Amino acid sequence: MGIRVEKSIAEDLLRNALDDKSASFRPNQWEAIDAVVNKKQKLLVVQKTGWGKSIVYFISAKVFREGNQGPTIVISPLLALMRNQIPAAERLGITAVTINSSNQEEWDEVKERIAEGDVDVLLISPERLSNDEFVRDVLLPISDNLGLLVVDEAHCISDWGHDFRPDYRRIANVLKQMPPNMPILGTTATANNRVVKDVVSQLGDIEVLRGPLIRESLFLQNIRLPDQAARLAWLSEHLPDIPGTGIVYTLTKKDAEQVAEWLNLNGISSAAYYSDVTHAGNPDSSSYRIALESMLLKNEIKVLVATTALGMGYDKPDLGFVIHYQAPGSVVAYYQQVGRAGRAIESARGILLSGREDQDIHEHFRNAAFPGGGQVNQILQALERSDGLSMPELQRRVNLTKGQIEQVLKLLSVENPAPVIREDRKWLRTAVDFEMDQERINFLVQQKTREWKEVQEYIDHEDCLMVFLSNSLDDDADTPCGKCSRCLPDGRMPETFSETLGVKSSLFLRYSEMLLIPRKQVPKDAFQKYGFHRILNRHGLEAETGRILSRWGDAGWGRVVMNGKHANHFGDKLVDAVCEMFEERWNPDPRPTWVTFVPSFNHPALVPDFAKRVAKRLGLSFQNVVTKTARNRPQKQMQNSFYQCQNLDGVFAVDSDIKTEPVLLLDDMVDSRWTLTVIAALLRSAGSGPVYPIVLATTAIGK
Amino acid sequence: MKQLSQDAQTTLLLTTHFGDKGPMEHGPLTPTEWGRFARWLTEQSIAPGELLVGNRRELLRGFQDNKISLERMETLINRGTTLALSVEKWSRAGLWIITRSDSAYPEKLTERLNHNCPPVLFGSGDNNLLNKPAIAAVGSRDVTNEDLKFSRTIGGKAAASGFAIVSGGARGVDEASMLGALEAEGTAIGVLADSLLKKSTSRIYRNHIQRKNIVLISPFSPEAGFNVGNAMARNKYIYCLSEAAVVVHSGRTGGTWSGATENLKKQWVPLWVKRTSDPDSGNNDLVNLGGSWLPHNIVEGDLNSLLGRKSTSNDEKDVKIDCIADQSNRSFYEIFLFKLKSLLKNDSMTRTELQDVFDLTPKQLDVWLRKAIESEQIIKKGTPVSYSLIQKAKGNQLAMFDES
């Protein structure tokens, strides 16, 4: 009780920490400290990135600690921020630690250090806060006597915010229960008036401190280039001319991989970065991501090609450019990403390339963002009939993917009251009446559609681009920036690229086949008729790694495959493509000597006709040895592994007398990989040699 | 989600064990300690919530208590984040929280336990059920099938006679009697010593909670695990929420025994004991200590008959009045009013009936009845004239110390 700090003392702390006798607070920093420390207020700070919010909570944390209170907790959605903040805190003489999913082995030690009073600031992710086991085992034992609670990216609390994160609904509900003697600091760099108003109305009794959001060093430019090949060519031609290092944002992981590979082929050092990116030299994704972030920080690579997994909180003052390979979903999200550039340098480029596929990807994102009522009911009914179900138990009771089940449970479990709750690794149905808030979901989906329309307006905007961004954030600046491509056409980057590069990038896309990694383990009890052992490779029944020629409907071969499927005929161009890939870039060893295919009742001739031509071109024998013996439901309606396998059980048969040499197994489309896995297992059981699957396209988006 | 009032927040901060923290240097206040502190606050006209916003040192000036140091209170009050995380979770699970000062807090508890009643009740289901006339059914977890069957029958019988069943919500007699009531489309109150959150999600109770047929409550944190002390401590609330209690089977030690003997000592409600052939049972001893044998034909009769007959002790009245007089220097009128209100709780009474009970001069009775009507405690109606209680919501924090 009664912890107070005078401005001069706080400033001394700052000066000591920075070892700079003339240091002083930036505008509003002291006001924020005064509000949370002296007035125990709940405060929302809206300031641009780089304003120095961490100074506010680090100094406040220090004051609370010196007054004998426990640590300050900072909730922030991105690991990148945490990694940057720990050394930053150290420089200020503050001990910061993080507990997150990637450092589980350190939790006990960290908890002990907190208990011993060794920690000033604890950084956690919103996902941790909404994990009841984590709260019970880690947070509650240390949550008495906390100094301050900081919520980063507080705009996520509002449905009007551009960034829908269910975990923030939980955070808001926790904040609502915070008694008035506990200060809270919310921070955001991207909240317009509507978002601020909504956050205030939800949390009640909260003060707002707002500063200018616009960054003056940014050169903005938008270029429409519908073809991926064109955008790749543009990047490889112009990136070397942009000073410094930076980020290229893509919408999907696959695009991140592809763009990074292309840039490296063209001598521009780059790496792909996304939520579960892995690399042979690193034990896990999280340590690899740390390594990637640090490579960019130290300018060891020119470009990090990243999905939004790299974003909020990544703190590199001299980032020279942020280029979007595909258009982002909202103007505010765009501002947030492009605003990473040019924080502590005179000028930086923010270039938005937009392509033909953007629309479809965003539509897919929108449709996948919320579960349908049917999915919700399936899950609730399964839980109602039980005293709690674990995740694997649920998967066997509902025909939904693990991802869908997780999404539904997440969405339901952040409500308050909620129809489901997690206790001891099981999901329980609470005694709460529940009806889907369809209105809210419609609102959120429409919101995303509106935001996407606004992005189109931004791309085609004819006046100052910075003023457009500024208006969407309700920032006051309405004077043209004088440097964007509309204000100063002479300062633009060229929109063209050389024809040679264009041809090269088209070929690159056509050669961008993917590995097809077959399944090796089958779900328990899924194959009652076939009786497969659960671990296929232990019995020599697994398929070899195969190839996928393209992504369905995509640039490269994807569009050709789509047209062929619709015309019920795959042309000779695709035969050439498959054979060229097989001979020149794959060359499996031992080499297959014969070709067979996956039969279908609906398109009985399409695949065998194609397989026959491929066999002929490669000089292999064509054998029709797999038969479909029973009609089953369309595999695409089966949503999780258990149902997908069950739907295939006993559906195919393989002739008993087949060649014992290695074989190519052809199909047109792949999604879950189970059909290929099952037929390969049947072929191996019947005595074939190794089975190499080839498919023309994958329908799995973004993977 | 409903936000807790600041008064409720303070009460929880000072009295609740959050999570599983093991022994604390400055543990939460016990119900009695909270009772003392709350009374002091009332005397100073300080609402508990003020401690969260005002200058605590200033507000608490003059508060002296050997057990409740300012340091202890400060430590407890600073558990704000713990409170928020816990309350958010409990409310997410559909649980509610009421404190003594809430209108939903059951009057039976404040009346019978005064400042020993639990400062906070956690619950799931319809809290209106807590004020329903109820029969307590108590007994061991492990009993014979016959006793289980009997418990179920008593549950059904209670439902048919318009009573709720109140029990400890454990396996055995508790569960069987509650399910018996629910199956007969009656209602039940489960007073749990542990795991409220989990029990409220269990298949056997979940639907009944949603249909408002059952309320589960606990004076302990909804996530508290089993603990003998808590199980013993909650027995008194089972009796105090009932009008009469039926002991199906008791040992000579253990939870059922200690609860039943406590009830006999405190004379909260008539105690009826089922006859048993089990020589190891404590049933016989309970009757020797003042309980009554449950009539053989009770399953054919009306459970209302269990309310009328008082247990054997003659000096019950004196004990009760002594106890009131002892606690606060009440006037005779206040004692009269206390007694009157408990008489009228379930039914109205005529003037003659009251005259018989109170044994006052008619004039004195009239004066006091009029006073009670004027202060809006009771109303008079109909012919023949009868008196009944005014059912009103309880007011603020002050009301709990002021039964008049």
Side-chain angles (χ1 to χ4, degrees):
Chain A
M1 164 164 59
I3 288 175
R4 283 194 65 82
V5 63
E6 296 301 323
K7 184 175 181 184
S8 58
I9 307 277
E11 214 145 36
D12 282 347
L13 282 173
L14 178 76
R15 287 172 184 160
N16 281 342
L18 296 175
D19 200 17
D20 173 2
K21 290 205 167 32
S22 61
S24 62
F25 287 120
R26 293 198 195 141
N28 287 336
Q29 281 180 334
W30 161 250
E31 285 74 8
I33 294 171
D34 184 43
V36 293
V37 175
N38 294 334
K39 300 177 187 150
K40 300 270 187 292
Q41 266 176 3
K42 303 189 182 350
L43 179 71
L44 176 65
V45 167
V46 187
Q47 297 281 356
K48 65 182 161 198
T49 34
W51 167 75
K53 62 190 175 192
S54 53
I55 290 288
V56 172
Y57 52 73
F58 283 152
I59 297 285
S60 303
K62 192 91 187 155
V63 174
F64 282 118
R65 295 285 292 133
E66 286 179 359
N68 252 334
Q69 286 208 253
T72 285
I73 289 193
V74 179
I75 304 166
S76 180
L78 282 145
L79 295 172
L81 172 88
M82 304 187 193
R83 292 185 200 122
N84 282 332
Q85 296 240 306
I86 292 170
E90 235 162 63
R91 287 194 289 278
L92 291 165
I94 283 159
T95 313
V97 297
T98 168
I99 294 186
N100 57 60
S101 46
S102 71
N103 69 345
Q104 205 144 354
E105 69 287 349
E106 295 167 25
W107 289 7
D108 282 340
E109 186 203 324
V110 171
K111 275 163 68 180
E112 220 162 275
R113 286 177 64 193
I114 296 169
E116 280 164 14
D118 206 23
V119 170
D120 303 318
V121 173
L122 170 65
L123 299 140
I124 61 169
S125 67
E127 290 75 16
R128 288 295 98 200
L129 192 77
S130 59
N131 178 313
D132 282 322
E133 278 128 11
F134 177 85
V135 170
R136 186 191 63 197
D137 298 340
V138 180
L139 225 40
L140 281 180
I142 57 153
S143 61
D144 291 358
N145 199 33
L146 285 188
L148 169 68
L149 189 74
V150 181
V151 179
D152 198 13
E153 309 299 346
H155 56 270
C156 299
I157 287 173
S158 169
D159 280 349
W160 288 101
H162 60 94
D163 198 2
F164 176 73
R165 288 170 179 262
D167 291 313
Y168 272 78
R169 201 163 167 88
R170 171 82 58 88
I171 293 176
N173 287 328
V174 171
L175 296 183
K176 279 179 208 167
Q177 297 295 355
M178 203 67 97
N181 61 332
M182 183 69 204
I184 296 170
L185 176 67
T187 64
T188 173
T190 46
N192 58 22
N193 290 342
R194 195 159 55 183
V195 170
V196 169
K197 213 175 128 196
D198 188 31
V199 172
V200 170
S201 82
Q202 281 196 52
L203 301 186
D205 212 18
I206 179 164
E207 306 291 319
V208 180
L209 203 58
R210 177 167 195 145
L213 300 179
I214 284 306
R215 186 152 336 277
E216 278 156 8
S217 56
L218 270 180
F219 286 67
L220 297 172
Q221 180 173 0
N222 303 332
I223 308 175
R224 277 195 191 273
L225 291 172
D227 280 327
Q228 289 185 356
R231 271 170 280 144
L232 289 178
W234 188 93
L235 283 174
S236 53
E237 178 153 337
H238 297 296
L239 266 180
D241 297 336
I242 306 178
T245 61
I247 302 171
V248 170
Y249 276 113
T250 63
L251 290 177
T252 72
K253 298 170 185 177
K254 179 72 195 15
D255 286 307
E257 288 283 6
Q258 203 169 51
V259 172
E261 191 190 342
W262 165 253
L263 293 178
N264 282 323
L265 275 176
N266 285 275
I268 300 167
S269 60
S270 65
Y273 182 108
Y274 44 87
S275 62
D276 49 4
V277 62
T278 51
H279 187 263
N282 286 272
D284 55 34
S285 175
S286 123
S287 63
Y288 181 50
R289 283 170 69 179
I290 298 175
L292 290 174
E293 287 164 22
S294 134
M295 278 161 81
L296 183 62
L297 271 177
K298 295 184 199 146
N299 299 317
E300 291 166 3
I301 45 173
K302 175 78 178 175
V303 193
L304 208 47
V305 186
T307 64
T308 51
L310 178 76
M312 299 191 283
Y314 184 69
D315 192 10
K316 177 174 164 64
D318 60 343
L319 201 65
F321 57 89
V322 169
I323 297 175
H324 282 70
Y325 178 70
Q326 288 146 329
S330 87
V331 169
V332 181
Y334 178 65
Y335 178 70
Q336 192 173 42
Q337 286 154 8
V338 81
R340 306 258 122 233
R343 293 213 351 245
I345 49 176
E346 297 249 313
S347 70
R349 295 264 176 196
I351 299 176
L352 196 165
L353 307 177
S354 64
R356 181 190 291 131
E357 76 277 17
D358 305 359
Q359 165 92 26
D360 293 342
I361 299 176
H362 283 297
E363 199 179 316
H364 170 76
F365 284 165
R366 278 198 297 274
N367 291 338
F370 300 99
Q375 298 181 10
V376 171
N377 288 337
Q378 269 194 67
I379 290 175
L380 287 182
Q381 278 165 17
L383 291 175
E384 261 155 35
R385 287 190 292 265
S386 79
D387 276 328
L389 295 174
S390 67
M391 198 60 194
E393 286 167 340
L394 252 177
Q395 275 175 278
R396 311 186 68 191
R397 283 170 175 77
V398 296
N399 178 14
L400 297 171
T401 66
K402 188 164 181 236
Q404 285 169 329
I405 298 174
E406 279 169 347
Q407 184 194 29
V408 168
L409 290 171
K410 167 68 87 179
L411 212 61
L412 295 180
S413 66
V414 297
E415 293 298 320
N416 195 317
V420 299
I421 195 163
R422 200 176 138 94
E423 281 279 297
D424 300 326
R425 307 192 170 276
K426 287 197 182 239
W427 286 96
L428 311 174
R429 177 74 172 92
T430 62
V432 170
D433 294 328
F434 178 77
E435 212 172 308
M436 272 269 269
D437 189 350
Q438 198 56 48
E439 217 167 286
R440 174 166 178 260
I441 291 178
N442 293 345
F443 168 83
L444 287 166
V445 173
Q446 282 160 16
Q447 169 87 342
K448 284 175 184 287
T449 314
R450 276 191 296 273
E451 287 170 348
W452 173 241
K453 253 177 85 186
E454 202 190 359
V455 170
Q456 300 307 306
E457 285 162 24
Y458 172 69
I459 293 171
D460 298 326
H461 189 59
E462 294 192 345
D463 300 319
C464 176
L465 295 177
M466 193 51 99
V467 167
F468 188 102
L469 293 184
S470 152
N471 285 341
S472 70
L473 289 162
D474 291 323
D475 215 37
D476 293 338
D478 54 3
T479 331
C481 71
K483 52 179 70 160
C484 72
S485 60
R486 307 290 193 248
C487 291
L488 186 67
D490 290 348
R492 284 182 298 193
M493 301 287 297
E495 300 191 357
T496 53
F497 49 88
S498 80
E499 207 174 309
T500 331
L501 266 175
V503 171
K504 203 174 147 197
S505 63
S506 309
L507 284 174
F508 167 76
L509 286 176
R510 297 214 150 184
Y511 293 165
S512 59
E513 62 267 6
M514 292 152 270
L515 296 187
L516 198 172
I517 316 280
R519 308 272 189 163
K520 294 192 171 59
Q521 259 192 51
V522 304
K524 205 174 153 215
D525 302 334
F527 290 109
Q528 306 266 358
K529 293 181 191 141
Y530 287 142
F532 293 139
H533 191 274
R534 285 196 68 194
I535 319 256
L536 293 171
N537 46 347
R538 205 174 278 169
H539 297 254
L541 296 183
E542 81 284 9
E544 307 301 308
T545 296
R547 291 292 184 277
I548 305 168
L549 186 68
S550 68
R551 279 188 291 169
W552 175 253
D554 211 338
W557 291 111
R559 203 170 297 268
V560 183
V561 175
M562 186 173 79
N563 294 338
K565 177 97 181 177
H566 290 156
N568 205 19
H569 178 77
F570 294 123
D572 284 339
K573 269 191 181 169
L574 283 173
V575 175
D576 293 348
V578 165
C579 295
E580 191 185 304
M581 170 185 79
F582 180 84
E583 300 277 23
E584 287 172 24
R585 298 190 298 279
W586 186 10
N587 262 319
D589 178 39
R591 190 181 159 88
T593 64
W594 57 292
V595 176
T596 192
F597 63 94
V598 176
S600 154
F601 283 144
N602 292 335
H603 302 278
L606 181 64
V607 176
D609 165 67
F610 182 73
K612 227 176 269 175
R613 282 179 285 148
V614 168
K616 195 169 166 208
R617 271 289 302 277
L618 294 174
L620 310 176
S621 75
F622 173 81
Q623 306 275 332
N624 185 350
V625 297
V626 187
T627 26
K628 193 159 182 181
T629 53
R631 218 165 243 289
N632 59 352
R633 290 168 63 200
Q635 190 68 356
K636 65 183 172 200
Q637 288 175 11
M638 300 299 113
Q639 302 288 1
N640 68 36
S641 291
F642 184 79
Y643 283 86
Q644 283 155 356
C645 291
Q646 216 181 29
N647 194 45
L648 295 170
D649 193 18
V651 168
F652 297 104
V654 167
D655 296 355
S656 53
D657 184 24
I658 61 170
K659 289 165 79 90
T660 56
E661 282 113 48
V663 55
L664 268 186
L665 174 62
L666 253 85
D667 200 0
D668 52 355
M669 319 270 275
V670 64
D671 190 352
S672 74
R673 295 168 281 144
W674 280 118
T675 308
L676 292 165
T677 303
V678 165
I679 293 178
L682 294 174
L683 285 166
R684 297 301 313 252
S685 305
S688 83
V691 180
Y692 295 96
I694 294 188
V695 293
L696 296 178
T698 170
T699 47
I701 284 199
K703 285 172 192 156
Chain B
M1 172 182 55
K2 200 176 144 240
Q3 212 169 331
L4 283 185
S5 71
Q6 289 182 10
D7 287 348
Q9 286 176 334
T10 307
T11 313
L12 262 87
L13 286 169
L14 288 176
T15 63
T16 305
H17 282 275
F18 299 106
D20 195 10
K21 284 189 207 260
M24 297 164 69
E25 192 193 342
H26 294 297
L29 308 191
T30 63
T32 322
E33 286 172 339
W34 167 255
R36 278 206 305 275
F37 178 58
R39 193 154 38 162
W40 182 84
L41 286 177
T42 312
E43 282 160 18
Q44 312 297 312
S45 308
I46 298 171
E50 288 177 54
L51 296 176
L52 298 178
V53 285
N55 180 334
R56 278 196 290 284
R57 210 171 288 274
E58 201 61 44
L59 287 167
L60 294 175
R61 185 179 304 240
F63 178 71
Q64 282 280 339
D65 192 299
N66 288 340
K67 292 268 179 60
I68 315 170
S69 67
L70 291 186
E71 194 194 353
R72 180 173 170 202
M73 271 199 277
E74 200 56 30
T75 307
L76 293 170
I77 274 183
N78 277 332
R79 303 185 296 164
T81 309
T82 310
L83 170 87
L85 289 168
S86 306
V87 170
E88 190 279 332
K89 178 174 182 189
W90 298 336
S91 112
R92 179 152 40 85
L95 308 181
W96 41 256
I97 298 171
I98 52 180
T99 63
R100 279 188 208 173
S101 53
D102 290 315
S103 56
Y105 193 92
E107 260 178 81
K108 284 187 235 179
L109 289 185
T110 38
E111 272 166 17
R112 287 177 171 150
L113 293 166
N114 206 339
H115 64 247
N116 283 322
C117 65
V120 181
L121 288 178
F122 303 94
S124 176
D126 182 4
N127 62 28
N128 289 315
L129 297 177
L130 297 172
N131 296 317
K132 268 197 81 164
I135 301 292
V138 296
S140 324
R141 281 164 191 260
D142 301 306
V143 289
T144 60
N145 278 339
E146 190 220 317
D147 278 348
L148 278 185
K149 211 174 133 208
F150 179 80
S151 307
R152 231 168 236 263
T153 312
I154 278 291
K157 196 70 209 160
S161 317
F163 289 100
I165 280 287
V166 52
S167 90
R171 281 187 296 110
V173 169
D174 290 359
E175 195 177 285
S177 60
M178 295 213 292
L179 292 177
L182 295 169
E183 280 157 11
E185 292 180 5
T187 56
I189 303 166
V191 185
L192 310 183
D194 63 87
S195 315
L196 169 66
L197 192 155
K198 213 144 189 195
K199 227 161 221 170
S200 74
T201 66
S202 69
R203 212 169 3 156
I204 49 169
Y205 297 131
R206 192 197 305 124
N207 280 335
H208 291 296
I209 292 173
Q210 286 176 293
R211 282 191 233 123
K212 298 185 186 297
N213 297 332
I214 187 172
V215 60
L216 300 177
I217 61 165
S218 176
F220 309 108
S221 152
E223 293 171 85
F226 181 79
N227 161 313
V228 177
N230 285 356
M232 296 283 194
R234 70 92 149 65
N235 284 331
K236 59 166 81 68
Y237 311 132
I238 300 172
Y239 289 95
C240 289
L241 284 170
S242 76
E243 274 37 67
V246 173
V247 179
V248 176
H249 182 276
S250 173
R252 287 201 184 87
T253 58
T256 309
W257 172 261
S258 84
T261 48
E262 187 183 16
N263 178 60
L264 285 171
K265 201 166 113 204
K266 299 281 170 62
Q267 297 288 338
W268 287 311
V269 294
L271 187 83
W272 300 92
V273 184
K274 178 180 172 286
R275 286 183 199 275
T276 174
S277 51
D278 175 9
D280 295 332
S281 86
N283 289 22
N284 206 31
D285 310 64
L286 286 175
V287 171
N288 290 337
L289 286 172
S292 318
W293 287 119
L294 191 65
H296 279 296
N297 59 354
I298 190 65
V299 289
E300 287 103 51
D302 183 333
L303 293 196
N304 271 298
S305 63
L306 299 182
L307 271 54
R309 176 121 65 93
K310 296 290 173 192
S311 348
T312 48
S313 168
N314 277 330
D315 48 19
E316 181 219 354
K317 209 182 299 174
D318 303 333
V319 170
K320 202 152 198 171
I321 290 173
D322 273 357
C323 156
I324 301 161
D326 196 42
Q327 280 164 3
S328 48
N329 299 311
R330 308 272 173 160
S331 67
F332 287 121
Y333 169 71
E334 282 173 318
I335 296 167
F336 164 81
L337 191 61
F338 179 83
K339 179 75 184 157
L340 178 67
K341 282 169 74 176
S342 57
L343 282 170
L344 295 182
K345 192 152 38 195
N346 297 319
D347 211 344
S348 58
M349 287 173 83
T350 64
R351 197 179 168 290
T352 329
E353 287 172 327
L354 288 171
Q355 180 75 50
D356 287 337
V357 175
F358 279 106
D359 197 23
L360 290 164
T361 65
K363 200 173 166 197
Q364 182 63 60
L365 182 65
D366 280 343
V367 170
W368 279 351
L369 281 175
R370 204 178 314 130
K371 194 169 170 186
I373 292 167
E374 275 163 11
S375 61
E376 294 183 340
Q377 301 289 338
I378 59 167
I379 46 168
K380 181 169 124 174
K381 56 183 173 190
T383 29
V385 170
S386 71
Y387 297 85
S388 54
L389 269 188
I390 291 187
Q391 296 297 342
K392 60 174 177 181
K394 293 197 87 181
N396 53 20
Q397 180 80 17
L398 300 172
M400 72 195 209
F401 302 111
D402 186 5
E403 273 121 356
S404 58

